[in-house]
Amino acid sequence: MLSNTGTEIARIYNITMRFFFLLSVTFLQAQSTWIQDISVASKKNGVFIKVRSDIPLNSNQVTGWFNESSSWYYMTLHQADGDTAQLESAQLAYPVNRIECVRAGESLQIGFRLAIPVEQFEFYYASDPPELLASLRFPLSDVLASIEQEKPTA
C-alpha cells in the first residue's frame, strides 16, 4: 500500500511539474518587448530611426508603411509596449517634425511626421544591444537636388 501511495505522489508531482513548465513557456511566449527609447539621425539620403528595447525584436513583430497623403511614417511593433510620453519626447532631427505613439491591444504604433516623403524603407535587427534600425530613404530626385545645392559655385 505504501508503494502505491508513493507512486501516486510521484504521478501528481510529475503532472504538477508539467503544468508549471507549460505555464512558464506560455508566459514567456506572451512576454511583451519594452521599448526603451527612440533616436533619430538625419542623413543625406534619408533618416535612421533607432528603437532600443529590453529584448531583441524580430521581423515577425515589425511592420511599417508611409502614408503619402499625410506625410506620416508608421511603425507597428507587435507584442511591444513602452512609455508613450517618454518616446514622444525623443529628440527630433530634420526631417522628422513629430513623433506620436499609440497603444493598440498588444501592439505599440509609433508615427513619425516627416517633411520629406519616404520612397523606401528597410529594417535592420540587432540583438546586442537589442535595437531595431529603420532606414527611411528619400526619393532620389530629392537627394540629388540636395547634393546639387551643396556644390560650391565657381
Side-chain angles (χ1 to χ4, degrees):
M1 183 120 183
L2 186 60
S3 65
N4 195 13
T5 303
T7 304
E8 185 66 22
I9 291 172
R11 189 177 72 77
I12 292 171
Y13 174 79
N14 286 337
I15 291 172
T16 304
M17 293 309 293
R18 286 183 193 155
F19 171 77
F20 283 117
F21 174 74
L22 290 174
L23 185 64
S24 299
V25 168
T26 302
F27 175 76
L28 289 173
Q29 286 178 343
Q31 185 177 12
S32 186
T33 303
W34 184 257
I35 305 304
Q36 297 172 337
D37 63 43
I38 299 170
S39 64
V40 178
S42 184
K43 305 293 180 191
K44 286 191 187 293
N45 66 339
V47 64
F48 284 159
I49 299 172
K50 188 182 295 184
V51 179
R52 280 190 340 124
S53 56
D54 64 339
I55 57 176
L57 290 160
N58 64 58
S59 60
N60 296 331
Q61 287 180 268
V62 183
T63 58
W65 69 98
F66 181 71
N67 184 330
E68 289 184 41
S69 64
S70 67
S71 294
W72 281 88
Y73 173 78
Y74 296 100
M75 179 185 307
T76 301
L77 309 174
H78 301 283
Q79 295 179 333
D81 199 359
D83 181 338
T84 57
Q86 176 194 350
L87 296 173
E88 289 174 349
S89 68
Q91 186 171 356
L92 303 178
Y94 183 81
V96 177
N97 297 325
R98 192 164 143 202
I99 299 173
E100 285 187 0
C101 300
V102 176
R103 287 187 184 103
E106 295 180 355
S107 298
L108 180 67
Q109 186 176 77
I110 307 171
F112 301 89
R113 174 92 162 140
L114 298 163
I116 301 174
V118 172
E119 189 170 85
Q120 295 179 325
F121 63 89
E122 288 183 285
F123 297 121
Y124 301 96
Y125 303 90
S127 57
D128 189 18
E131 294 176 338
L132 165 69
L133 179 66
S135 174
L136 312 183
R137 292 193 196 88
F138 304 144
L140 186 57
S141 59
D142 291 355
V143 174
L144 293 175
S146 172
I147 291 171
E148 192 64 35
Q149 288 176 353
E150 291 178 2
K151 283 185 179 178
T153 57

